[in-house]
Amino acid sequence: MTYTDDRATRVREVRRRLAQEGPPRTRDQEGDFETVTVPEKHCDQLRDLMVSEGAEKVVEVGLAYASSALAIGEALATVNRPLPRHLIIDPFQDREYSNAGWDLLRSAGLDSIATLMLTPSSIALPRLLTEGFVADAAFVDGSHRFHEVFVDLYYLRKIVRPGGLIVIDDDWWPSVHTAVQYYERNLGWTVIPDAFSGETIGVGPQGKQGARCKAYRLPEPSFEPSFADFNAFCPCPRTAP
């Protein structure tokens, strides 16, 4: 067994324990882990998507209990590119989650390739862009307010390389779905079909719903539309209760 196999096996073990036993600590909210965390099946699909992409550098917005971060870490260990980097942005990790997610990543040995940025994404993402950081993919599970999702996607389309991936969690939330629709209808983002199962997998703002994650391929080359080109992306037919 190679070092890469050992590292991926260690990550898979931590993922298995998290799915079966839950995190070492949670916020004082009933069912918080089950509500916040990305379901294990989607995490497997996210891992497989990153592996098929051959991803080496990934940006993640939102850490919480680290289910998606562990899946991405497993993918980076499996791909085993020369300089893997996993930049995670979560200003609430220490004060809201008592570093539960970060401690899980450390127990999986992923702190050697992962960096946690404890600043709002609206500050961290422009900083990464200014520093010239280029990612192969991004996973977005931060704020669900429309304006903040929109800003996250604005910067990520400049950080993720042309032809790269942006995966959205909680696309079933009207605010998230509406923000993404602008980029799909105006900037050439294309849905990757069957990246995530459409079967009922969790509870969204309107009760049980289908796949909560959605994957997009960025255009290659990237482009900016003219001032005259605009495709309306509202109203969103889905509304939260």
Side-chain angles (χ1 to χ4, degrees):
M1 182 176 287
T2 66
Y3 170 73
T4 300
D5 292 332
D6 285 341
R7 187 168 60 173
T9 299
R10 181 178 174 183
V11 177
R12 280 194 293 272
E13 176 58 25
V14 175
R15 288 191 58 210
R16 184 194 62 80
R17 290 202 309 268
L18 177 61
Q20 293 181 357
E21 304 171 11
R25 53 194 175 275
T26 64
R27 296 183 298 180
D28 188 20
Q29 300 176 24
E30 185 177 355
D32 188 55
F33 171 66
E34 293 77 10
T35 301
V36 170
T37 198
V38 179
E40 185 181 14
K41 180 176 180 179
H42 272 3
C43 286
D44 288 344
Q45 293 166 323
L46 174 63
R47 174 203 60 205
D48 294 345
L49 189 62
M50 295 290 175
V51 170
S52 66
E53 190 70 10
E56 182 177 27
K57 295 179 173 60
V58 180
V59 176
E60 182 170 9
V61 180
L63 177 57
Y65 298 113
S67 60
S68 57
L70 287 165
I72 292 169
E74 183 184 345
L76 293 174
T78 301
V79 172
N80 195 30
R81 297 284 296 277
L83 296 171
R85 290 193 67 188
H86 185 187
L87 299 184
I88 306 168
I89 302 165
D90 190 340
F92 305 106
Q93 177 60 200
D94 55 351
R95 67 178 187 262
E96 289 285 335
Y97 293 95
S98 301
N99 286 315
W102 183 246
D103 286 348
L104 284 165
L105 285 179
R106 291 178 61 199
S107 70
L110 291 172
D111 53 322
S112 62
I113 63 172
T115 300
L116 176 60
M117 304 177 73
L118 293 169
T119 52
S121 55
S122 58
I123 296 173
L125 290 173
R127 184 180 303 163
L128 292 178
L129 180 62
T130 300
E131 292 172 354
F133 182 76
V134 177
D136 299 300
F139 182 73
V140 185
D141 188 18
S143 171
H144 288 20
R145 299 184 185 97
F146 168 82
H147 57 285
E148 291 174 325
V149 179
F150 193 92
V151 169
D152 285 350
L153 299 181
Y154 172 82
Y155 283 108
L156 285 171
R157 69 178 285 264
K158 295 175 178 289
I159 292 170
V160 175
R161 61 172 173 78
L165 300 176
I166 294 183
V167 181
I168 313 294
D169 184 38
D170 284 328
D171 180 69
W172 53 20
W173 279 83
S175 51
V176 176
H177 180 79
T178 304
V180 180
Q181 284 296 291
Y182 169 78
Y183 295 91
E184 183 177 350
R185 298 185 183 183
N186 290 275
L187 290 172
W189 293 21
T190 56
V191 175
I192 300 176
D194 303 323
F196 295 93
S197 170
E199 68 185 64
T200 299
I201 198 168
V203 178
Q206 294 178 309
K208 290 186 177 180
Q209 297 186 27
R212 58 187 266 176
C213 293
K214 203 167 187 178
Y216 287 89
R217 175 77 62 192
L218 301 191
E220 186 176 15
S222 61
F223 68 92
E224 295 292 343
S226 72
F227 289 173
D229 293 335
F230 177 75
N231 295 308
F233 60 104
C234 289
C236 177
R238 300 180 289 178
T239 57

